[in-house]
Amino acid sequence: MSASNHANAFALPDVDADGRKNLVGLSREELEGELLSLGLEKFRAKQIWHWIYNRGATDFGVMTTLAKPVRERLAEAYMVARPTVVRDLKSTDGTRKWLLRMADGQDVEAVHIPEEDRGTLCVSSQVGCTLTCRFCHTGTQRLVRNLSAAEILAQVMLTRDMLGEWPAPPDGRMLSNIVMMGMGEPLFNYENVAKALKIVMDGDGIAISKRRITLSTSGVVPMMKRCGEELNVNLAVSLHAVTDELRDIIMPINRKYPLAELLDACRNYPGVTNARRITFEYVMLKGINDSPADARALVRLLDGIPAKINLIPFNPWPGSPYERSTDRAIQVFGDLVNAAGYASPVRTTRGDDIMAACGQLKSASLRLTAADRAAMEKVLAEKDAELAV
Ligand code: SAH
Ligand code: SF4
């Protein structure tokens, strides 16, 4: 079914048609401010927070710790918005991909990967991505914009709804881990990502600890320190090449922040220790970056950085310019890296049959025109200018 058949199905507006404001995505302070503006006591914020983020309530009527007139007052002025699911795809291996349509008609994808006694949600931070890594499907999407904190949180909250985990059980949660590895570059939307993750980590609410959250970046060097200091989540870095020459081509951000600067930022990432290593993601591209010499160079490059290496077999998409490395090449590469003392799990490809695997996420299948690419370059240049300030 074409997603466009549901053009009006999704609404996660900040304000709905009746002028009610969405409370999801407000910080505690902002929530208190809203209550004060209604003439309600500030302490009610704690109770409402608990209902929204611990119990998963979407209806003020069920918030029974609040007096009825208070609930009625809240319902007049506010809502707790949930996205409408435009598509719910289930892979044969249990992986689920949800397509969520935003109020402006843009689609966002979230992917849930269940394991035996835990589960990971792959969360998107942007619609599309301004970066144009050559192996990544998301990077070919025409339209790009940041997601709001509410839109980022919506992915997590909707997953809890789907899994029936309100309130979440202390053990064996199927939504136990979060990876910011969906669509978009999270460090190009840092403010909203940080706001959403702080709410996700809040112990009175969704309560997923920073140790169970991993943020993946393509290497937005100027934002890495702040991310570590403020959020202290696990860091994953999309490395994918061991020379600037190759990385410049397959990940254009490298022209702005080359390998030496990126690795320095990794060395200095706050809180990094042998017990809390940085994950280096390395996509295995046949004949491009997968030789034994590349493996040895990788080991040399990471010398002195507490690191884990995650080898990702390339996930092809229609029209992709590369091929997946052979199993043999991946094995040899992995063995060399292991021999140097790095755990180097090969990421199993999950959800392949529903295009839910790493780097395959992309909602509207539009090919980029030269003009689109020029527009993206412009956005990127503006971003760079902003970061340079
Ligand atoms: N923008 C961030 C996070 C999203 S991508 C980043 O680049 O790190 C999540 C991971 O999937 C990244 O390591 C990305 O490089 C990788 N990836 C992208 N396209 C891929 C593909 N086609 N096959 C395998 N991995 C891919
Ligand atoms: Fe963007 Fe990451 Fe894809 Fe590169 S790999 S285009 S940074 S989402």
Side-chain angles (χ1 to χ4, degrees):
M1 189 187 325
S2 152
S4 58
N5 294 341
H6 301 263
N8 299 315
F10 182 84
L12 190 63
D14 289 340
V15 178
D16 73 2
D18 299 325
R20 294 178 311 161
K21 203 166 167 182
N22 186 17
L23 290 184
V24 174
L26 300 187
S27 66
R28 275 179 186 268
E29 295 70 32
E30 287 167 341
L31 184 56
E32 285 170 1
E34 289 294 336
L35 298 181
L36 289 175
S37 75
L38 272 196
L40 295 171
E41 304 95 321
K42 203 168 117 177
F43 76 88
R44 304 250 175 246
K46 196 170 163 51
Q47 295 170 313
I48 296 169
W49 186 275
H50 190 81
W51 281 109
I52 295 179
Y53 294 115
N54 180 283
R55 306 292 298 273
T58 53
D59 177 356
F60 293 102
V62 305
M63 301 187 183
T64 46
T65 51
L66 302 166
K68 198 151 178 259
V70 174
R71 282 184 256 155
E72 284 168 359
R73 198 71 219 287
L74 289 169
E76 277 163 24
Y78 300 111
M79 60 171 162
V80 181
R82 279 292 195 277
T84 302
V85 181
V86 178
R87 278 174 158 198
D88 177 355
L89 299 171
K90 196 161 189 175
S91 161
T92 49
D93 68 15
T95 300
R96 276 172 93 174
K97 178 165 94 169
W98 292 293
L99 186 67
L100 313 175
R101 179 149 298 169
M102 298 299 152
D104 63 355
Q106 292 294 315
D107 295 337
V108 170
E109 293 175 351
V111 175
H112 180 252
I113 307 145
E115 286 166 72
E116 210 154 276
D117 56 353
R118 49 177 250 157
T120 301
L121 184 69
C122 183
V123 173
S124 294
S125 57
Q126 298 182 305
V127 174
C129 185
T130 48
L131 297 171
T132 49
C133 302
R134 290 198 64 191
F135 48 82
C136 178
H137 201 27
T138 305
T140 67
Q141 188 159 332
R142 201 160 66 102
L143 289 165
V144 182
R145 74 164 172 82
N146 284 335
L147 294 181
S148 66
E151 290 170 332
I152 295 167
L153 270 170
Q155 300 169 60
V156 178
M157 299 176 81
L158 183 112
T159 305
R160 280 249 157 110
D161 291 346
M162 292 292 197
L163 300 173
E165 292 196 335
W166 297 112
D171 301 307
R173 296 180 188 185
M174 287 317 278
L175 172 48
S176 56
N177 293 59
I178 287 182
V179 292
M180 295 301 304
M181 291 187 188
M183 298 162 71
E185 169 47 58
L187 295 188
F188 273 170
N189 184 19
Y190 180 77
E191 301 295 340
N192 292 336
V193 166
K195 195 171 183 197
L197 288 183
K198 282 179 190 163
I199 294 175
V200 164
M201 291 189 263
D202 187 296
D204 284 341
I206 297 171
I208 297 180
S209 104
K210 62 185 184 180
R211 310 218 162 241
R212 291 178 176 270
I213 299 176
T214 301
L215 183 146
S216 176
T217 180
S218 56
V220 185
V221 167
M223 295 306 292
M224 286 168 61
K225 186 160 179 262
R226 187 163 163 214
C227 171
E229 280 171 354
E230 285 183 6
L231 303 176
N232 205 231
V233 291
N234 303 315
L235 186 71
V237 171
S238 294
L239 195 65
H240 306 324
V242 293
T243 62
D244 282 323
E245 202 187 0
L246 177 62
R247 202 164 185 272
D248 277 353
I249 298 171
I250 65 173
M251 299 188 73
I253 192 172
N254 194 68
R255 295 178 209 160
K256 180 78 186 163
Y257 309 117
L259 278 172
E261 285 179 33
L262 175 58
L263 294 171
D264 258 353
C266 291
R267 253 178 224 108
N268 297 321
Y269 186 70
V272 64
T273 60
N274 275 331
R276 256 193 120 198
R277 294 161 190 259
I278 295 179
T279 300
F280 288 90
E281 298 162 281
Y282 195 93
V283 63
M284 300 295 293
L285 304 169
K286 186 177 185 175
I288 304 284
N289 65 355
D290 63 349
S291 72
D294 289 315
R296 289 189 201 98
L298 177 61
V299 168
R300 281 197 300 275
L301 203 61
L302 299 184
D303 190 34
I305 304 176
K308 286 187 266 192
I309 297 170
N310 200 335
L311 302 179
I312 317 175
F314 172 62
N315 292 309
W317 32 273
S320 57
Y322 300 113
E323 283 175 70
R324 179 181 294 183
S325 301
T326 61
D327 290 349
R328 173 89 193 121
I330 297 175
Q331 165 100 45
V332 170
F333 198 104
D335 286 350
L336 283 166
V337 165
N338 271 325
Y342 290 101
S344 63
V346 176
R347 191 178 293 173
T348 39
T349 298
R350 300 280 305 262
D352 232 356
D353 51 339
I354 54 169
M355 288 274 286
C358 273
Q360 288 183 329
L361 302 187
K362 180 183 152 176
S363 302
S365 288
L366 300 163
R367 291 299 303 170
L368 269 190
T369 62
D372 293 329
R373 214 166 260 277
M376 271 196 204
E377 296 280 344
K378 194 166 159 264
V379 176
L380 189 51
E382 283 165 11
K383 240 343 151 197
D384 284 343
E386 245 171 63
L387 289 170
V389 177

